[in-house]
Amino acid sequence: MRWILPLWLCCLTIPAFAQGDPAVADLYVDPVGKPYFLLEDDRLVTGNPLGVNTYSFYDSSLGSPDYVDVTNPFQILVYYREYGTAVVLDRTLSELDRIDLFANPNIQQPGAIARSYDNGIWVFDNWDYRLLRLDDSGRIDQQTNNLRLQLGIAAPPSAIFVDRNAVILHFPDKNRLAVFTNYGQFQYWVDTPPAEQLSWYAPRLLGTSTSHGEGWLWSPPARKVRTLSRLPTAARTATRILAGPGGEYLAVQPGVPGLSSGMLEEKN
């Protein structure tokens, strides 16, 4: 299994950070393995494949993004929840479009969002507890019933994770995942251990508790998580850690440029 690690990492193009650049606050990796970094000054950056410069995006009027989705590197979503605004970027991090969710008459209080597998957008409306899917024209083409009534939830989800065959809502107050089909039909609950950090790199959700050095992995359609052995030291100190396809991990360390990597091992 260890041969998978260098194959995954060889796809990565690391931007050349200048001396004195702010530290990395978060890490995202697209489906072909290209990393994107959110810096502490709120810039989203990624490497130029030619190695000449670094692509970057920043909007001083919006501040720090609450969510970045690089599932489609030709239509990257950068979401600012307070403003109900999603900025769409191309692969050079140049702006293509802006989506004002507050301007949509069918959405009262936009909460968590995520890119759907076919380039629409899933939005959770915190006002009436509905999960909505917007098509590429901004029209609602799918929606659930009121999930507070249907599922008995008391608070809206903090995040939405999307795989080709599943849409997952995370409810941190209950340490539970609600799994839906990609048509918005509820399927089942998944109970998870507590986690200080959740990291999604489809189709793997990694939960880590750095203070205890513990972690777990989950992928749909499983109904239970897989418990990991004690996390390696580099994983416990990471600002962000993502689980790769063969048990490996990729991480960014506080104040350290570049990426670290290693293996995650499951408990027997």
Side-chain angles (χ1 to χ4, degrees):
M1 181 172 63
R2 294 181 182 273
W3 62 270
I4 299 177
L5 178 59
L7 288 183
W8 186 43
L9 295 182
C10 74
C11 300
L12 302 176
T13 303
I14 311 301
F17 294 112
Q19 186 174 6
D21 268 352
V24 173
D26 215 334
L27 164 70
Y28 317 93
V29 179
D30 71 17
V32 298
K34 183 179 182 181
Y36 301 75
F37 300 88
L38 181 65
L39 304 185
E40 289 187 347
D41 65 357
D42 301 328
R43 281 185 296 145
L44 181 67
V45 302
T46 192
N48 183 333
L50 299 178
V52 177
N53 54 22
T54 298
Y55 298 133
S56 67
F57 171 79
Y58 170 66
D59 189 316
S60 60
S61 67
L62 296 173
S64 179
D66 298 281
Y67 173 79
V68 176
D69 191 320
V70 298
T71 303
N72 180 347
F74 297 95
Q75 292 189 359
I76 296 167
L77 282 182
V78 183
Y79 179 51
Y80 303 85
R81 184 178 298 193
E82 181 180 353
Y83 299 95
T85 298
V87 181
V88 184
L89 309 176
D90 67 13
R91 62 187 180 87
T92 68
L93 302 186
S94 298
E95 185 172 334
L96 295 173
D97 194 13
R98 292 199 176 204
I99 302 169
D100 184 356
L101 297 177
F102 284 129
N104 191 315
N106 297 307
I107 302 174
Q108 301 300 315
Q109 189 178 344
I113 75 168
R115 172 76 71 185
S116 71
Y117 78 96
D118 54 358
N119 288 327
I121 299 176
W122 288 102
V123 181
F124 194 88
D125 192 332
N126 290 354
W127 179 261
D128 57 9
Y129 280 64
R130 291 183 301 155
L131 178 63
L132 314 169
R133 185 191 175 281
L134 307 180
D135 64 18
D136 54 9
S137 299
R139 296 186 296 266
I140 294 175
D141 62 4
Q142 296 175 35
Q143 61 181 300
T144 66
N145 296 323
N146 185 315
L147 296 182
R148 179 160 47 187
L149 300 177
Q150 180 181 348
L151 302 182
I153 56 177
S158 63
I160 303 174
F161 309 113
V162 177
D163 188 27
R164 286 194 62 86
N165 298 309
V167 180
I168 304 104
L169 305 185
H170 177 232
F171 296 92
D173 58 322
K174 298 295 184 182
N175 292 315
R176 301 187 88 187
L177 305 170
V179 182
F180 295 76
T181 68
N182 53 19
Y183 298 103
Q185 180 180 359
F186 175 73
Q187 292 187 294
Y188 54 89
W189 288 101
V190 176
D191 293 312
T192 70
E196 296 168 7
Q197 182 184 108
L198 287 184
S199 299
W200 174 253
Y201 184 53
R204 289 160 294 277
L205 182 64
L206 173 64
T208 56
S209 177
T210 55
S211 59
H212 296 90
E214 299 172 347
W216 50 266
L217 272 172
W218 175 79
S219 297
R223 301 199 179 203
K224 292 184 178 180
V225 302
R226 309 195 308 273
T227 304
L228 300 176
S229 299
R230 186 168 178 81
L231 296 173
T233 301
R236 295 199 298 271
T237 59
T239 300
R240 174 66 65 186
I241 173 172
L242 302 176
E248 68 279 7
Y249 71 83
L250 188 68
V252 289
Q253 303 293 334
V256 179
L259 302 169
S260 62
S261 59
M263 297 299 298
L264 297 169
E265 297 184 1
E266 294 184 31
K267 284 186 177 180
N268 296 326

